[in-house]
Amino acid sequence: MPLANLNYVAVVVAALAAFVLGAIWYSPLLFGKAWVAASGHSEEKLAQMEKTTAVRFAITLVAFLIMAGVIAEIAAIFGLVRVQGGVKLGLMLWVGFGLTLELIHTMYNARRWSAFLIDTGYTLVYLVVMGAIIAAWR
């Protein structure tokens, strides 16, 4: 299926949903404090990171748009048009890529397992949500 036939509104909504989920996931309401502690960031590092927040958010949003576009293309190839199919696709992408890549990254960067669980949990949730939105909106 050519990219021209994708539902670009669904792609944008799925990307924005992942972005907003991240804002909530890493906020003090959910896992923000635990993630900072698990990541071992100092107050100085956090202050330094805040200086580039806009750039990092823009790059993140572009990355989510790319992911959503790829998910939409995969959903189209397999003819997924129901939420259940999108959820299954998101789960498969997480197991095959999200979980495994995060695991490798964690091992080679000597990250704490609690940071791994927070990050891969977020990846699981946003891939499932993106898949569900895209498949349901086809």
Side-chain angles (χ1 to χ4, degrees):
M1 168 177 260
L3 293 176
N5 293 332
L6 294 182
N7 183 338
Y8 288 100
V9 174
V11 168
V12 170
V13 169
L16 289 173
F19 189 83
V20 170
L21 280 167
I24 296 167
W25 193 268
Y26 291 102
S27 76
L29 295 173
L30 288 181
F31 302 106
K33 291 178 185 176
W35 182 84
V36 169
S39 297
H41 291 312
S42 65
E43 292 296 324
E44 293 169 349
K45 176 68 175 176
L46 292 173
Q48 182 184 5
M49 289 171 64
E50 283 184 26
K51 294 176 185 176
T52 60
T53 297
V55 171
R56 286 183 291 112
F57 281 2
I59 292 169
T60 300
L61 188 55
V62 169
F64 282 140
L65 286 166
I66 293 167
M67 276 189 252
V70 171
I71 291 170
E73 186 67 19
I74 294 169
I77 289 168
F78 289 102
L80 302 177
V81 293
R82 292 185 166 172
V83 171
Q84 298 90 330
V87 167
K88 184 175 180 181
L89 175 59
L91 283 170
M92 290 175 62
L93 291 171
W94 177 74
V95 169
F97 300 100
L99 173 67
T100 55
L101 290 170
E102 193 69 39
L103 179 62
I104 293 166
H105 178 75
T106 297
M107 289 188 316
Y108 283 96
N109 289 292
R111 293 179 65 218
R112 295 182 183 150
W113 289 104
S114 52
F116 164 79
L117 292 173
I118 293 168
D119 289 339
T120 198
Y122 170 54
T123 304
L124 168 63
V125 171
Y126 77 67
L127 285 172
V128 167
V129 168
M130 289 171 89
I133 289 169
I134 288 166
W137 210 331
R138 289 202 52 223

